[in-house]
Amino acid sequence: MLEQYTRYPSGLSEERLANRLGLYWDNTMQDWEIVVSDFGRIRDFLKLYQNELVNDDDKFTLMGLIVSSFDDGISNFDKETKKNWYICKTILEKECYLHYSIMKYWCLYENEPDNVFDITPYMREVWEKVKMKFL
């Protein structure tokens, strides 16, 4: 893993986003973005990301929530999900340096093919497009 691109969500960003989105948060939570993920709210999360966020910590934390939410329902790949995934994928590709840790986590390259997340094949496609930037 390339240490200079490694990030983790901050509690301050989690709390700020939880308040903005009406999601549960407390300072003892681990993996907030996984605990409160919500496939049905992906569009709201993407709109917030695209239209309101400028702080990299908030963008990173919200992208973790977005990807986790996709993982919850990506098997329901209907027209709306496809459209939302395209938006998410585009952001990940354009802001790959910011979201390096998210991509590496969800790609699970060290795991066997039958021991991965539902979102893993989609994240691997994103990684294949951006990996040359990290060489």
Side-chain angles (χ1 to χ4, degrees), residues 36-117:
V36 301
S37 65
D38 186 344
F39 181 73
R41 294 194 61 196
I42 287 175
R43 186 70 198 127
D44 296 336
F45 300 157
L46 286 168
K47 281 183 182 180
L48 176 63
Y49 188 103
Q50 292 177 294
N51 299 320
E52 295 181 34
L53 298 186
V54 293
N55 176 303
D56 280 352
D57 286 339
D58 290 349
K59 290 171 100 176
F60 176 80
T61 301
L62 182 57
M63 183 54 71
L65 175 62
I66 291 168
V67 173
S68 179
S69 295
F70 268 112
D71 185 58
D72 289 346
I74 199 75
S75 59
N76 178 26
F77 210 76
D78 60 13
K79 188 176 182 178
E80 182 71 15
T81 303
K82 188 174 184 177
K83 177 181 164 187
N84 289 334
W85 176 247
Y86 178 79
I87 294 167
C88 181
K89 180 175 84 94
T90 301
I91 293 168
L92 287 167
E93 290 170 4
K94 287 175 95 176
E95 299 180 10
C96 62
Y97 296 107
L98 176 60
H99 300 302
Y100 171 83
S101 295
I102 292 170
M103 291 185 289
K104 292 303 282 184
Y105 174 80
W106 292 96
C107 279
L108 287 176
Y109 273 113
E110 67 281 355
N111 288 36
E112 295 297 319
D114 60 341
N115 188 21
V116 296
F117 302 111

